[in-house]
Amino acid sequence: MDTSKNTALTRALTELPGPLPDRGVIHVVIRHADRFTVVGNDLAQHPGLSTTAVGFAVRIQSLPQGTEVGVKALAARFPEGEKLIAAALRELEAHGYLQRARTRLPNGRIVTRTVFCNQPAALLRPRGAAAPPQQAPVAPQVTAPVPAPAPAPALAPAPARGPALAPAPKPEHHAPEAPVPEAPAPEASVPQDHAPFVPLVPPPTAPKSPRPPLPRPRELTPELERISAALLSDLHHHSPEFTLSEEHVHRLVPGVAAWLERDTHPDTIRHALTTNAPEPVKYPYQFVKHRLTALLPPPPHRTTVTPFQTCDGCERAFRAPTPGHCRDCRTGHAHEDQQAAA
């Protein structure tokens, strides 16, 4: 099989047109009909990327949409180790080819979404810069209105009485006027439908909106503080990644107390803080603070219940805001008063 392959390559070399170079690489280019990926030279010949980073960029670019491209997913598909893959992804991220951002799904789960761009420099370049090459053919169209000085031939019949050579100086005199088309005023209006380009990906230096503050209860009682601190300190028993320091527990206590004040069961709070968490949780304090703020339940809807009272006359139970007589006793007393008055 190796011999046949070498023979086929040698035969392909003989069919290349033109003289071959004495040294260096010789390309045998066979046009792809299917299953191919277009890779730009800005990536293939990037001076700041290692060969490993370029190779993984090509591999990621060739994968279909939605394929997992994390460190563990790539290590399971390719022979390189996780450390080498992680270093290559950091290179691509530093040069703008790769971006990893955490996104919240409608169900509240936070996932890491990877975005790959095959030409990141184009995102920062305004699209209007690419317009001039397309405006080149517009220049000949501007010369079309120039025949406006057509009235000039109307003067030609007058000198026609004289020798035929008399009109000759006229064209020569109008020749310098020909540069009139140099007034390309229409070119100023050529950028008509080219709106200013707005990058889809904000630059790293773009200001970020401030994060909402941690919720606080109306009154942080000692009982709420004790239960909140115990719940936060016990999180690592249910999920080892949620190990919080004493200072972090002290800072997060008001947030948990706000949940407890809204009649939320401690098990519900624990489930909301640790379920569907990313792996690994790099910053447990920031993660718990975010969930306490973003998933805060609404205050309970409290209904006013009229208490029971004991009738002072018949000692029956009835509902009333204040003690007194039941309806039957009030009706009987009213009838007796009417008879006494009669």
Side-chain angles (χ1 to χ4, degrees):
M1 293 298 293
D2 295 340
T3 305
S4 61
K5 290 182 180 179
N6 294 337
T7 304
L9 185 58
T10 304
R11 185 172 63 254
L13 288 175
T14 60
E15 297 176 358
L16 291 179
L20 300 179
D22 296 334
R23 63 182 64 186
V25 64
I26 300 174
H27 293 285
V28 177
V29 180
I30 301 175
R31 188 177 183 85
H32 290 280
D34 57 354
R35 294 182 55 80
F36 64 92
T37 300
V38 178
V39 179
N41 284 339
D42 56 334
L43 172 62
Q45 300 178 7
H46 198 290
L49 290 175
S50 64
T51 306
T52 305
V54 173
F56 274 103
V58 175
R59 287 183 182 272
I60 294 174
Q61 190 174 343
S62 66
L63 295 175
Q65 195 96 312
T67 305
E68 293 289 341
V69 291
V71 175
K72 294 185 179 297
L74 293 177
R77 293 170 58 93
F78 307 117
E80 289 79 3
E82 292 188 7
K83 291 185 178 180
L84 187 61
I85 294 175
L89 296 184
R90 284 194 296 269
E91 286 187 52
L92 296 175
E93 195 169 4
H95 287 83
Y97 288 92
L98 193 72
Q99 184 182 20
R100 289 177 286 192
R102 293 188 175 183
T103 307
R104 174 178 296 279
L105 299 179
N107 60 0
R109 181 181 179 183
I110 297 179
V111 297
T112 300
R113 183 166 291 170
T114 304
V115 181
F116 183 86
C117 179
N118 63 338
Q119 195 176 356
L123 296 177
L124 304 178
R125 183 173 61 241
R127 294 180 181 176
Q134 300 177 358
Q135 298 171 7
V138 179
Q141 297 177 3
V142 179
T143 59
V146 175
L155 302 176
R161 303 172 185 174
L165 298 176
K170 291 291 182 179
E172 293 178 0
H173 180 69
H174 285 284
E177 294 180 0
V180 172
E182 291 181 359
E187 287 190 3
S189 61
V190 168
Q192 38 197 352
D193 54 351
H194 291 287
F197 170 68
V198 179
L200 299 179
V201 180
T205 56
K208 298 181 179 179
S209 57
R211 296 181 178 180
L214 185 72
R216 302 186 67 87
R218 289 175 296 179
E219 181 183 359
L220 184 59
T221 61
E223 184 67 15
L224 285 178
E225 186 174 4
R226 182 186 64 80
I227 298 175
S228 301
L231 188 149
L232 292 169
S233 302
D234 188 61
L235 285 180
H236 70 279
H237 289 120
H238 300 270
S239 182
E241 296 181 343
F242 288 89
T243 302
L244 301 172
S245 64
E246 183 178 1
E247 180 182 359
H248 289 166
V249 169
H250 179 71
R251 293 181 183 179
L252 295 173
V253 160
V256 178
W259 283 57
L260 293 173
E261 191 181 52
R262 301 190 176 200
D263 294 343
T264 308
H265 195 275
D267 292 341
T268 304
I269 301 176
R270 188 180 300 108
H271 183 270
L273 297 181
T274 59
T275 303
N276 293 332
E279 297 181 1
V281 180
K282 296 183 179 179
Y283 307 101
Y285 166 72
Q286 295 292 347
F287 183 80
V288 172
K289 180 181 178 182
H290 171 74
R291 287 208 166 180
L292 286 174
T293 306
L295 304 181
L296 179 67
H301 179 68
R302 303 184 183 276
T303 57
T304 304
V305 180
T306 305
F308 280 101
Q309 306 290 347
T310 301
C311 178
D312 294 339
C314 62
E315 296 186 356
R316 286 192 305 176
F318 69 100
R319 290 187 180 274
T322 58
H325 292 84
C326 64
R327 183 174 56 182
D328 295 340
C329 293
R330 289 196 302 269
T331 304
H333 288 308
H335 183 67
E336 291 176 359
D337 293 342
Q338 289 178 359
Q339 290 180 352

